[in-house]
Amino acid sequence: MTTKIDQAAIDRLFLEARSQNGWTDQPVSEAEIRALYDLVKYGPTSANTQPARFVFVTSPEAKERLRPALSPGNVKALAAPVIVLIGYALDFHDKIPEVFPHNPGFRDMFVNNPAAIEPHAFRNSSLQGAYLILAARALGLDVGPMSGFDAAKVDAEFFPGGTVKTNFIAAIGHGDPSKVMPRLPRLAFADAAQIV
Amino acid sequence: MTTKIDQAAIDRLFLEARSQNGWTDQPVSEAEIRALYDLVKYGPTSANTQPARFVFVTSPEAKERLRPALSPGNVKALAAPVIVLIGYALDFHDKIPEVFPHNPGFRDMFVNNPAAIEPHAFRNSSLQGAYLILAARALGLDVGPMSGFDAAKVDAEFFPGGTVKTNFIAAIGHGDPSKVMPRLPRLAFADAAQIV
């Protein structure tokens, strides 16, 4: 359990991976999307609640439904073979008897304390969105995460019913290296971290 | 940029990694903590804001400061060589001129719309917390993420001043395989995802 992964993988995941702004026409198959989910699902979530809900937008028709919700800067994402919508389910706790079977009554913690639902769903769906970014890279795909879209429009179009809210969205495909921006500065250890 | 990482790395990161409940006495060095940050910092955040703030709790004295904030179920974490506190900075936008230098005025979007600050910081620090979990695994470390602690006590003790709030905490070290729980069920693709 304590083996470092090889440097090529670390490069691929962290050191050389870059957020993408342009896309080649190489497709992403349904099998690749399912393989991606089959990694993402194993990322840890609090009480194993897995509150993220994913909509993989791939068809021209679905992309047109998404277009009005995108900002001018995000329309470029429609050129990617997949845009994934990462939502969070506000009824995630109804699945606790299934996903946390040794303590099904943990569902009541949320039923009796509704204010705990949204922070739990938002935090853990964000973790799952990050797992998705890194899992896509692990599978040889490139990612372009985005915020700045109209979340209410995405909710209305793709998550009707009101129990799922959009967290963020990301384009997935094969990036055009010529469209990658220069890497932006990262905070020094001392500006973001301390050891006590 | 489109090479799949090797299966051993995918196993290490996703398929075989497990949240830990017990720890060996193998230490984690300051060099390992700094190497961990040097991967985490490259994970993408919206507008490169990097709002997470990390406190690596390693000394016996600092662990005793943390103890009163832990739930009875979380006290086991104090046996790990490191407990990292992942916080989010509510003044992250003051660093936008440094980390987003081509558009320093983006800071004003948050100054003029304070309601946007906390969701941005919470979402993106959660992403960074997930990058930390996977980066630790990439470096051959094990992780035991936790919620259920008293966040107000952690804030008061480790983030005095009120500009950083605790998001979640995680033990880091070398796990005791005998303490790992059976793996919990994951949601089927159809229960968490759709392709449109």
Side-chain angles (χ1 to χ4, degrees):
Chain A
M1 289 295 288
T2 55
T3 311
K4 185 174 172 175
I5 68 174
D6 65 29
Q7 190 62 42
I10 290 176
D11 290 347
R12 178 78 188 95
L13 292 166
F14 295 103
L15 301 181
E16 295 179 359
R18 300 296 314 283
S19 293
Q20 301 293 319
N21 298 293
W23 304 92
T24 75
D25 56 7
Q26 187 178 346
V28 174
S29 69
E30 178 175 339
E32 287 180 290
I33 292 172
R34 289 180 175 271
L36 175 59
Y37 179 73
D38 282 338
L39 296 185
V40 172
K41 71 182 181 185
Y42 287 120
T45 54
S46 179
N48 195 39
T49 49
Q50 307 164 68
R53 299 292 179 266
F54 304 98
V55 178
F56 293 92
V57 175
T58 64
S59 71
E61 297 74 18
K63 288 180 180 179
E64 289 310 309
R65 290 167 56 204
L66 181 60
R67 183 186 294 274
L70 298 183
S71 68
N74 284 343
V75 169
K76 64 191 179 193
L78 294 175
V82 179
I83 300 106
V84 60
L85 318 177
I86 297 122
Y88 54 98
L90 298 174
D91 59 357
F92 70 85
H93 48 292
D94 289 337
K95 292 191 186 291
I96 284 177
E98 174 188 348
V99 296
F100 206 58
H102 56 293
N103 186 8
F106 191 62
R107 174 178 178 273
D108 295 339
M109 200 280 283
F110 295 100
V111 172
N112 296 330
N113 183 16
I117 291 174
E118 179 146 3
H120 183 104
F122 189 49
R123 171 187 297 112
N124 286 283
S125 69
S126 299
L127 298 182
Q128 292 181 279
Y131 302 146
L132 181 142
I133 291 170
L134 293 182
R137 291 173 173 179
L139 293 176
L141 298 167
D142 293 311
V143 186
M146 288 174 286
S147 49
F149 55 89
D150 186 329
K153 283 187 183 172
V154 179
D155 290 351
E157 188 64 32
F158 291 96
F159 298 119
T163 58
V164 180
K165 299 288 183 189
T166 306
N167 187 336
F168 71 98
I169 69 179
I172 302 177
H174 296 275
D176 175 352
S178 73
K179 301 282 175 54
V180 173
M181 310 284 194
R183 194 163 219 171
L184 292 167
R186 284 346 197 235
L187 294 177
F189 186 90
D191 289 334
Q194 53 179 307
I195 301 173
V196 296
Chain B
M1 289 293 287
T2 55
T3 311
K4 185 174 172 175
I5 68 174
D6 65 31
Q7 190 61 43
I10 290 176
D11 291 346
R12 178 78 188 94
L13 292 166
F14 295 104
L15 301 182
E16 295 180 0
R18 301 296 315 283
S19 292
Q20 302 292 320
N21 298 293
W23 304 92
T24 74
D25 55 8
Q26 187 178 347
V28 173
S29 69
E30 178 175 340
E32 287 179 290
I33 291 171
R34 290 180 174 272
L36 175 59
Y37 179 73
D38 281 339
L39 296 185
V40 172
K41 71 182 181 185
Y42 287 120
T45 54
S46 179
N48 194 41
T49 49
Q50 307 164 67
R53 300 292 179 264
F54 304 98
V55 178
F56 294 92
V57 175
T58 63
S59 70
E61 296 75 19
K63 288 181 179 179
E64 289 309 310
R65 289 167 56 204
L66 181 60
R67 183 187 293 274
L70 299 183
S71 69
N74 283 345
V75 169
K76 64 192 179 192
L78 295 175
V82 178
I83 300 106
V84 59
L85 317 177
I86 297 124
Y88 55 99
L90 297 174
D91 59 357
F92 69 85
H93 48 291
D94 288 338
K95 292 190 185 291
I96 285 178
E98 173 188 349
V99 295
F100 207 57
H102 56 294
N103 186 9
F106 191 62
R107 174 178 178 274
D108 295 338
M109 198 282 281
F110 295 101
V111 172
N112 297 328
N113 183 16
I117 292 173
E118 179 146 2
H120 184 103
F122 189 50
R123 172 188 297 112
N124 286 283
S125 67
S126 300
L127 298 182
Q128 291 180 279
Y131 303 146
L132 180 141
I133 291 170
L134 293 183
R137 291 173 174 179
L139 293 177
L141 298 167
D142 294 310
V143 186
M146 288 173 286
S147 49
F149 55 89
D150 186 328
K153 284 187 183 171
V154 178
D155 290 353
E157 188 65 33
F158 291 95
F159 299 119
T163 59
V164 181
K165 300 288 184 189
T166 306
N167 188 337
F168 71 97
I169 69 179
I172 301 176
H174 297 275
D176 174 354
S178 73
K179 300 282 174 57
V180 172
M181 311 282 194
R183 194 163 217 170
L184 291 167
R186 285 342 197 239
L187 294 177
F189 186 89
D191 289 333
Q194 53 178 308
I195 301 173
V196 296

